[in-house]
Amino acid sequence: MKLLDALSLAQQAPSGAAPFRALLACGFTPLHLQTFLAGHLQLRLPAQRVEIQTGLFGDLAGALAGIARGGCDAAAVVIEWADLDARLGLRSLGGWRPSMLPDIVRAVRERLDHLRASLDATGGRLPIAVAMPTLPLPPIATTAAWHASSFELELRAAVADFSVEVAMLPLVRIVSGQELDRLSAPSKRLDVRSELDAGHPYTLAHAEATAGLLALLLAPSPTKKGLIVDLDGTLWRGIVGDDGPGGVRWDLDGHAQTHGLLQQVVRSLADQGVLVAIASKNERAVVEEALARSDLLVDPAQIFPIEAHWGPKSESVRRILTAWNIGADSVVFIDDSPMELAEVRAAFPDVECLRFSGDPGDVGAAAALLERLRALFGRDTLTAEDTLRVASLRGAADAEREGTLTSPETFLQGLEAVLDVDLHKLPPDPRALELVNKTNQWNLNGRRETEADWRVRLDDADTFVLVASYRDKYGPLGKIAVMRGRRRGRALAIDTWVMSCRAFARRIEHRCVEQLFQRFDADEIVFDYAPTDRNAPLREHLAALLGDAPHPGLRLARSRFLSICPPLYHTASEAQERP
Amino acid sequence: MTDAHAHLVKCFAAVFPRLSPEEIPRANINSVSAWDSLATLTLTSLIEDEFGVSIDPRDREELVSFELILAYLRSDKGVS
């Protein structure tokens, strides 16, 4: 992004849009860093109007205190050496004598302790992105530039210790030094003239790169949920139908190491809850034999479904999307064949199609693909639900098969379903907000929330949140539904209602509504409903409850609900304390 | 209107979005209330970036109007 683009983007915010207020806390004149941060955030949040607040020059601690005072949706904290001790900057003449070095190390450690306490005081109220010192140290140590002094190493150790501790604070994310090194060469970051002239030490390119990474941490893209992988030439080297299940390779000796590395990444993604499926033009029996090899780095139990046949790959993708019940825009497809990628892309333009190059002469491309997969599936934290996903999908497939053999009522009756309801608001459950921001089909109004907004709402005494967890004889689904609202006398005003598509067709939605009526002894529930392009399943449910097409502000009386609620076979319980 | 003139108008519009295209060629540090020291730094950095030139900080103090900046770019920096 060029400076002109950043300035122009800041002017493109839609009029009347909700503001996104970001605090930029840094000790230097924010100047271009502020402009680029505004530009990058505006690019990532086109429906909002980005506003950047800044602190006073040279007062990083004061700016950090501003985070605790509130009033912003997110904060970017940029720490440079001069913020830790002014003698480490070019604008101070406090002395670079060797005798001062121990005192500088001590001062830096003290300063970092103070900054850590300030960040701790924010209490996870809003997302905070932190950039650790990015500029070169001045020539203060007694060693030559190519000789790392104990002074420099101590400073870097202090910063590393600080980073590790701060990264564990809720909602605090640290800018990756490795990624910043890739985007902005360390030798091209410091603009001495700008630092001395204006107190802004960054070159334009470095300000742009730093701001871009801060924006990614403060307004992350939705992560992908599912990965569909081809086999021959992709997950392994060779043609399994020709070479046989024992003849395909993914090791160094077989000049196929990049295939093994891909398998390692796929396994890691599956472990973190990414759905993994196979789309291969092969005989199914041959594929199953190859997947049973003991040296395979992927766990076949984590792959569901396996589409192995001679039909078009797009047909496989269609079946996999149906089995997963997620949108095409949440899915990545990898194949070594440009033709197969083009065929899938034509049928599913929203699926991200990536080519895997198994060419031993082009291993760089394969390594870049692995990085790309990490970027697309990167997650802050892993929850218990992430590891349940594949098992619950298999369970759903089993249940569906059984459901076709018995009547729906008998099927539901025999599920041995248990619904656990948790009404504790604090500490905020990250899974609840994740569901709100990821769910489309069962979403009351499609509104997304920032972590800061969510936290503010939970602090409101009249606001309640219901988080429902479900399990049955086919296995646990984990936390699958969230309802949030406020009490208004004997009415409840619900502004958030989401439910995972994995939980459909089990009457969980009825049980949740029933629980609210009972728990709050309410006579009526008012839903802040709004139609979206994708919430048809919820719309149909509400229409059935009301006996009419749903509309914004629709009201459901308790008597009406009880008169039409079908039999509910779950055992329901309310958590007495946060599990 | 030359390329340099049009390009400079673009730069001014980005830094001073409230100025109309007609006002920009007449803009100077006294007539534009938003033209403070920070705006000067942003404007000169933007011009350096867009025109691929380096502006000496000592020259910056003299560049107080659209007209002067355009003349400086043409005469001192060879921008056409």
Side-chain angles (χ1 to χ4, degrees):
Chain A
M1 181 184 289
K2 296 189 73 180
L3 186 58
L4 184 63
D5 302 325
L7 287 162
S8 304
L9 276 164
Q11 296 162 30
Q12 286 169 16
S15 59
F20 181 86
R21 295 150 304 186
L23 174 73
L24 172 57
C26 61
F28 52 86
T29 308
L31 200 63
H32 306 316
L33 182 64
Q34 178 179 352
T35 305
F36 281 118
L37 182 61
H40 277 289
L41 282 173
Q42 194 63 63
L43 197 61
R44 304 190 66 73
L45 302 166
Q48 291 187 264
R49 189 181 72 257
V50 172
E51 296 171 3
I52 306 286
Q53 304 163 6
T54 57
L56 296 175
F57 179 78
D59 186 16
L60 177 61
L64 277 177
I67 300 176
R69 281 196 298 274
C72 47
D73 300 301
V77 179
V78 180
I79 303 170
E80 282 302 344
W81 293 114
D83 299 315
L84 302 178
D85 189 307
R87 290 170 286 187
L88 295 174
L90 299 182
R91 293 177 67 86
S92 158
L93 295 176
W96 286 350
R97 295 165 57 195
S99 60
M100 293 176 168
L101 303 189
D103 184 58
I104 292 176
V105 172
R106 186 192 53 75
V108 165
R109 287 196 179 276
E110 271 183 21
R111 188 69 160 174
L112 288 170
D113 285 344
H114 183 74
L115 293 175
R116 179 171 42 242
S118 299
L119 288 169
D120 203 9
T122 62
R125 285 191 195 89
L126 72 172
I128 300 175
V130 182
M132 301 310 298
T134 64
L135 295 174
L137 282 162
I140 183 170
T142 55
T143 54
W146 53 87
H147 181 175
S149 64
S150 58
F151 169 72
E152 176 187 342
L153 295 171
E154 279 193 78
L155 290 182
R156 295 199 185 280
V159 164
D161 290 345
F162 170 83
S163 304
V164 171
E165 289 175 21
V166 165
M168 289 185 213
L169 296 174
L171 297 188
V172 174
R173 298 152 191 160
I174 309 286
V175 169
S176 161
Q178 181 171 302
E179 183 64 2
L180 191 58
D181 287 350
R182 193 179 69 78
L183 298 173
S184 172
S187 62
K188 297 192 173 160
R189 295 177 177 177
L190 176 64
D191 186 335
V192 177
R193 191 190 79 181
S194 173
E195 166 71 329
L196 298 181
D197 245 23
H200 178 75
Y202 288 1
T203 57
L204 275 185
H206 185 53
E208 193 276 334
T210 305
L213 295 185
L214 289 167
L216 277 169
L217 292 178
L218 296 179
S221 304
T223 53
K224 301 288 183 184
K225 299 176 184 171
L227 175 64
I228 304 173
V229 194
D230 166 53
L231 292 177
D232 294 342
T234 303
L235 205 63
W236 53 56
R237 184 169 187 215
I239 309 292
V240 70
D242 295 340
D243 303 329
V248 290
R249 306 290 295 264
W250 50 83
D251 57 356
L252 268 177
D253 290 345
H255 303 292
Q257 184 75 355
T258 52
H259 300 274
L261 294 173
L262 176 63
Q263 286 193 22
Q264 282 194 158
V265 169
V266 171
R267 173 64 193 254
S268 170
L269 294 176
D271 282 354
Q272 74 177 54
V274 171
L275 301 169
V276 176
I278 281 173
S280 171
K281 285 185 174 171
N282 265 309
E283 296 296 339
R284 190 177 177 93
V286 179
V287 164
E288 285 180 351
E289 202 180 331
L291 291 176
R293 267 175 58 170
S294 61
D295 58 341
L296 193 76
L297 298 166
V298 180
D299 179 2
Q302 291 177 315
I303 301 172
F304 177 79
I306 296 170
E307 287 290 330
H309 51 76
W310 297 101
K313 289 272 173 87
S314 59
E315 179 57 22
S316 296
V317 170
R318 188 188 63 73
R319 288 190 206 166
I320 292 165
L321 291 177
T322 304
W324 285 348
N325 196 15
I326 61 176
D329 58 353
S330 299
V331 171
V332 176
F333 171 59
I334 303 180
D335 203 301
D336 64 314
S337 159
M339 190 198 77
E340 300 289 13
L341 289 166
E343 195 261 332
V344 168
R345 195 179 290 117
F348 296 98
D350 290 340
V351 169
E352 180 129 7
C353 296
L354 302 176
R355 178 159 183 261
F356 178 83
S357 171
D359 180 356
D362 192 17
V363 289
L369 175 75
L370 304 184
E371 294 283 348
R372 178 84 183 125
L373 289 175
R374 275 288 174 220
L376 290 167
F377 291 99
R379 305 194 50 158
D380 261 20
T381 51
L382 303 184
T383 63
E385 283 67 28
D386 295 323
T387 55
L388 290 174
R389 204 163 286 134
V390 172
S392 69
L393 281 168
R394 282 185 193 279
D398 292 343
E400 193 176 317
R401 269 194 299 279
E402 188 172 326
T404 59
L405 301 176
T406 57
S407 76
E409 214 57 34
T410 311
F411 170 70
L412 288 172
Q413 222 167 348
L415 275 176
E416 300 163 23
V418 178
L419 192 78
D420 294 316
V421 168
D422 183 1
L423 284 148
H424 294 90
K425 292 194 293 182
L426 299 172
D429 182 345
R431 169 65 178 162
L433 181 59
E434 184 186 58
L435 266 176
V436 169
N437 284 332
K438 280 169 63 175
T439 308
N440 294 309
Q441 297 180 80
W442 197 284
N443 189 322
L444 189 60
N445 42 42
R447 279 181 218 129
R448 304 305 194 203
E449 293 226 7
T450 64
E451 286 149 321
D453 286 342
W454 183 256
R455 176 69 188 228
V456 166
R457 282 297 312 277
L458 296 196
D459 285 342
D460 172 42
D462 290 332
T463 295
F464 60 84
V465 175
L466 177 154
V467 178
S469 306
Y470 174 89
R471 63 183 186 277
D472 60 30
K473 69 179 185 181
Y474 297 104
L477 297 188
K479 293 168 187 165
I480 38 71
V482 177
M483 298 180 88
R484 186 186 65 185
R486 301 184 87 228
R487 298 181 68 166
R488 287 184 188 160
R490 291 184 62 83
L492 303 177
I494 299 293
D495 60 27
T496 301
W497 187 8
V498 294
M499 186 168 73
S500 165
C501 53
R502 292 182 291 129
F504 287 4
R506 289 169 173 80
R507 296 182 185 164
I508 292 171
E509 59 277 22
H510 294 90
R511 183 63 94 185
C512 288
V513 171
E514 181 208 53
Q515 288 287 305
L516 286 184
F517 274 127
Q518 280 179 6
R519 177 67 164 68
F520 295 103
D521 193 21
D523 294 332
E524 183 181 56
I525 297 179
V526 184
F527 291 94
D528 184 12
Y529 164 78
T532 72
D533 291 342
R534 299 172 73 175
N535 67 359
L538 175 62
R539 187 158 61 239
E540 287 165 19
H541 172 70
L542 291 172
L545 282 181
L546 295 170
D548 199 359
H551 52 82
L554 67 92
R555 292 167 180 273
L556 176 65
R558 184 176 192 159
S559 54
R560 163 80 186 169
F561 173 73
L562 294 177
S563 70
I564 59 162
C565 182
L568 304 179
Y569 303 108
H570 332 87
T571 304
S573 67
E574 183 178 332
Q576 295 309 304
E577 52 188 55
R578 174 64 58 78
Chain B
M1 195 186 295
T2 62
D3 285 350
H5 187 283
H7 204 162
L8 190 58
V9 167
K10 240 183 180 174
C11 293
F12 266 73
V15 179
F16 305 115
R18 294 195 174 172
L19 288 181
S20 68
E22 296 74 34
E23 288 172 319
I24 286 174
R26 300 193 302 274
N28 65 62
I29 200 161
N30 295 318
S31 70
V32 181
S33 60
W35 195 332
D36 57 14
S37 57
L38 278 182
T40 300
L41 290 169
T42 304
L43 183 62
T44 48
S45 294
L46 180 60
I47 291 168
E48 287 180 326
D49 196 34
E50 288 299 309
F51 288 89
V53 299
S54 177
I55 298 175
D56 190 307
R58 288 164 297 189
D59 293 339
R60 195 183 294 156
E61 291 167 20
E62 310 295 326
L63 303 176
V64 292
S65 72
F66 178 94
E67 201 176 345
L68 286 169
I69 294 172
L70 186 60
Y72 172 80
L73 286 172
R74 283 176 173 156
S75 60
D76 289 42
K77 301 295 172 186
V79 173
S80 53

